[in-house]
Each structure stands twice: as C-alpha cells, then as structure tokens.
Amino acid sequence: MLIIGCHLSSSAGFLAMGKEATRIDADTFQFFTRNPRGGSAKPLNIKDIEAFEEYRKENGIVYPLAHAPYTLNACSKDEGLREFAKNTMADDISRLEYIDGAMYNFHPGSHVGQGEEAGIQYIADMLNCVLKPEQKTLVLLETMAGKGTEIGKSFTQLRSIIDKVKLNDKLGVCLDTCHVFDGGYDIVNNLDGVLQEFDEIIGLDRLKAIHLNDSMNFLGCRKDRHAKIGEGGIGIDAMAKIINHPELKHLPFYLETPNDSDGYKKEIKLLKRLYKI
Ligand code: FE
Ligand code: FE
Ligand code: ZN
C-alpha cells in the first residue's frame, strides 16, 4: 500500500488533521509545530491528542510528521538565534513524545557565510544538546536545494552531521525530491545511481520519509520552488518510478506541492493509481 499524505494546517488541532487526512484519502500528514515563521507553540491539548490517537487507530493514519519552523537556524551567526533553535527543537520534541510514531523534520540550517564546516559543527552541537536517550521521536534532517548558504545540499554534508552526533540512532533523513533535484541529483535519469550514492554515503536505513514535490526549475538550479506533481522539471514518469522504487515504496510520502485540499486529494488519487502493489 502506498503511504501518502500532504502538508495540513495544524491550527484546528490533531483530530481535525486526522479527519482532513481521511477526507482527502491520505494515510499520513505533515504539519508545522508552530507558526512556520517562528513564535511560540500553543499549549498542549491532551484531550485533542487522545481523541486523535483513538481516531487514527480506526482510520489507519500513520507516521504523523512534524516540520520545524523555517526560522529555526541551528547555525546562525547570532547566538540568540542559535539558542532559539535549540529551545524550539527541544520543546517541539517534548510535545511530540505524546504522539505515537511521530517524526520531526527540520532544515539543517544556513551557515550565513561562516563556512560549511562551522555550520555543520553548530548543527551537531544543537543536536547533541537536544537529543535525549529516552526520546521516542525520530529527528529527520531534510535534504536541501543548496539555496544561499544552506547546509544539507549534499549527502556528504548530512553524513558529517550524523557522524558528529552522539545519539545518532535518533537521527534519520527526509529526502525532498524537489530539493535533491534542484541540488543537482538527477533523480529523473539516474534514480538508481542517486539512491546508490545515498546508500554509500548515508545508508538507506536512515531514509525515513520522502517529501514528494515536483520542481518549477531545472536540475542543479539551487532554487527550491515546488511544483505540482507532473507539472515541473521532474515530471510524472519520474514520480511514478520514485513511488514504486523497491528501496522507497514502503516509506511515507508527503506532498508539499502548491495545492488547496482538493488539489491534494487529486494528487493523492493520481499517485495511488500509479502505484503498483
Ligand atoms: Fe522542509
Ligand atoms: Fe520539503
Ligand atoms: Zn522546499
């Protein structure tokens, strides 16, 4: 079975997201832990979480994926912002512990001119501070397009972060198809080769989620503009190969395409049709 969902608004709570997922035939969903531009999170609503846990058992909703705010930058130049990143991540993870099988995805960060090495060290420092041996939530590093000074544009950079983190059994990777394509990995003509490279450098056992997005631009453009499935540089044939690839087909796929909820419903239907059991 294809496990597919999309990004949903978290403003009405978990139960509402669960019901919306069902309405659009999704089996999973992604959500922001708080305003994507920053700010504090709403108080935990245990009643809502309990109702959601009950609901998802009956309706088969798996792997809720939280996305950290975009403003979280572990390798900012500003110590206050690095502190904000650390506190936000720690707080987000402590909340996710209430949700069964939840994962937490974040953009590794932008080194803003301090250099790749310094950036990677800051990211690892944050993770070494935040990750706890007893936590159940898996933290995912997202592959990035390499816009500006973004870290995470290459598999080697992600590997360096993982190697510097003590509790790296808590770390996984979320591969964003638009980002890797924009970052120069040819998933259209050489998907097997890209996955082999991922396996050699990071290990496919670390790959826990896929952000399924087409790209408005071309291979290696370093842009990060998502397109609807089949309407960008990646195209529908490559998308079908991605969801059916033997190394990927068991993973949860999350759409972050420019769509309203009916648009997502259509894309989910399309992808389920292209999935071979
Ligand atoms: Fe992201
Ligand atoms: Fe993404
Ligand atoms: Zn993106």
Side-chain angles (χ1 to χ4, degrees):
M1 190 192 99
L2 177 63
I3 303 169
I4 189 156
C6 63
H7 191 92
L8 296 178
S9 161
S10 57
S11 58
F14 282 100
L15 181 61
M17 286 191 283
K19 288 184 174 168
E20 174 65 2
T22 306
R23 196 187 72 77
I24 60 174
D25 298 319
D27 322 283
T28 186
F29 61 87
Q30 177 180 262
F31 61 100
F32 281 122
T33 54
R34 58 189 76 210
N35 185 310
R37 302 276 158 220
S40 55
K42 276 192 268 177
L44 256 187
N45 182 343
I46 298 290
K47 266 210 166 110
D48 175 50
I49 291 175
E50 281 171 359
F52 168 66
E53 288 295 338
E54 197 56 42
Y55 179 85
R56 62 186 282 212
K57 264 183 237 144
E58 286 154 29
N59 294 277
I61 293 167
V62 289
Y63 306 119
L65 177 62
H67 195 303
Y70 293 141
T71 47
L72 189 147
N73 186 6
C75 47
S76 168
K77 245 184 201 160
D78 181 310
E79 205 193 322
L81 292 179
R82 294 200 301 273
E83 202 57 26
F84 166 82
K86 195 196 293 174
N87 295 336
T88 300
M89 185 178 276
D91 184 49
D92 282 349
I93 293 173
S94 72
R95 292 157 174 275
L96 289 170
E97 291 291 290
Y98 290 89
I99 295 159
D100 206 34
M103 301 189 288
Y104 184 65
N105 173 73
F106 78 108
H107 296 177
S110 293
H111 67 68
V112 290
Q114 302 173 99
E116 193 184 312
E117 215 177 304
I120 287 171
Q121 190 59 54
Y122 277 136
I123 297 162
D125 289 348
M126 173 186 71
L127 290 166
N128 279 323
C129 203
V130 166
L131 299 178
K132 298 281 175 276
E134 66 277 11
Q135 87 180 52
K136 291 175 288 169
T137 306
L138 202 61
V139 175
L140 308 184
L141 299 156
E142 182 167 355
T143 59
M144 300 309 293
K147 197 172 53 177
T149 62
E150 264 172 5
I151 305 257
K153 64 179 179 203
S154 71
F155 300 157
T156 343
Q157 288 183 337
L158 295 179
R159 177 78 249 176
S160 306
I161 298 169
I162 294 167
D163 283 339
K164 287 180 163 40
V165 174
K166 278 180 234 103
L167 296 174
N168 69 22
D169 59 311
K170 310 288 179 196
L171 289 181
V173 172
C174 172
L175 185 143
D176 186 307
T177 54
C178 169
H179 297 178
V180 292
F181 181 75
D182 286 14
Y185 290 101
D186 193 356
I187 52 172
V188 176
N189 299 302
N190 188 21
L191 180 61
D192 282 333
V194 172
L195 293 176
Q196 196 187 331
E197 192 176 336
F198 187 100
D199 195 32
E200 282 163 9
I201 297 171
I202 301 176
L204 279 168
D205 54 331
R206 293 260 181 205
L207 185 55
K208 302 296 180 188
I210 306 279
H211 281 167
L212 197 66
N213 304 307
D214 213 323
S215 167
M216 287 200 183
N217 294 288
F218 53 88
L219 179 70
C221 66
R222 301 259 155 95
K223 286 272 203 280
D224 188 4
R225 300 273 316 276
H226 301 186
K228 291 183 186 181
I229 299 300
E231 296 185 10
I234 300 176
I236 197 69
D237 293 347
M239 286 295 170
K241 280 188 192 142
I242 291 165
I243 57 170
N244 285 296
H245 195 282
E247 299 288 1
L248 307 177
K249 62 183 302 173
H250 61 285
L251 293 170
F253 293 87
Y254 304 85
L255 298 162
E256 299 175 310
T257 45
N259 273 307
D260 57 13
S261 76
D262 286 332
Y264 278 134
K265 188 174 179 169
K266 273 188 208 142
E267 282 190 348
I268 289 169
K269 198 172 174 191
L270 166 71
L271 290 158
K272 286 194 170 176
R273 194 148 41 76
L274 292 170
Y275 190 72
K276 302 178 189 84
I277 300 145

